[in-house]
Amino acid sequence: MRRASVRTVVPLLLVAACAPGEDQPAVTGVSSPKFVSTASAGTEGAWEPVRPWPVTPVHAQLLPDGRVMAWGSENPWDSTYQKAAVWDPVNDQFIVADNTTVNIFCAGHSILPDGRLLVTGGHLPGSLGKSDIQIFDPATNSWSSGGHMYEGRWYPSNVTLANGEVLIVAGLRKDGRNNPIPEIWNPSGTIRKLTTASRSMFFYPWLFLYAN
């Protein structure tokens, strides 16, 4: 796998904004951005000019090699395709990495111990959840199948466990109902339900792995 050299600063800015309207009142009382000199940017931070991206980065994941994988929601009517791109901040270049089999909008994602990206669930027309599991390999910039969950999930959350397995929770099923049963994905491609740990949770619950 490509590894990034040691860097002191990796600038990244991903912003989604709504224009003021009847349902989006203008925001008032917000101060102007503070611009700092280059000399203090390493300690105080600094904003760079807005720049175009090849995709709308609704989802973004920092990869172990220092690049950023991003994808959006350009085609919500299609359940089998999603535009995606990988940004390299070192040379400021993008690599197209579209997923041509699954619409991964509204999916959950987490990094595996070997550096690959595991993406669970996805989008069906009508805001319903897919059961697909997809894996992105940064070494080849390609997608592959990681199997299927027992039920679909739309807006789920993942967390990679210390043993390399991945806990998957929440999200809407294909029938539009909340999925309360957590599942465990194993790197072998198998998956199992945690039937005694049922809990109904809202979209994208925050998951963190304890040190123990």
Side-chain angles (χ1 to χ4, degrees), residues 1-2 63-65 67 115-117 136-142:
M1 177 183 295
R2 173 180 177 274
L63 302 173
D65 60 11
R67 298 182 301 160
R116 294 180 299 164
L117 172 63
F136 178 76
D137 189 345
T140 59
N141 297 312
S142 62

Side-chain angles (χ1 to χ4, degrees), residues 1-12 41-42 48 61-69 86-93:
M1 177 183 295
R2 173 180 177 274
R3 297 291 180 183
S5 59
V6 177
R7 309 180 186 122
T8 56
V9 178
V10 177
L12 173 62
E48 293 188 353
Q61 176 73 59
L62 179 64
L63 302 173
D65 60 11
R67 298 182 301 160
V68 179
M69 158 59 80
V86 180
W87 175 52
D88 190 335
V90 174
N91 55 30
D92 195 22
Q93 292 183 351

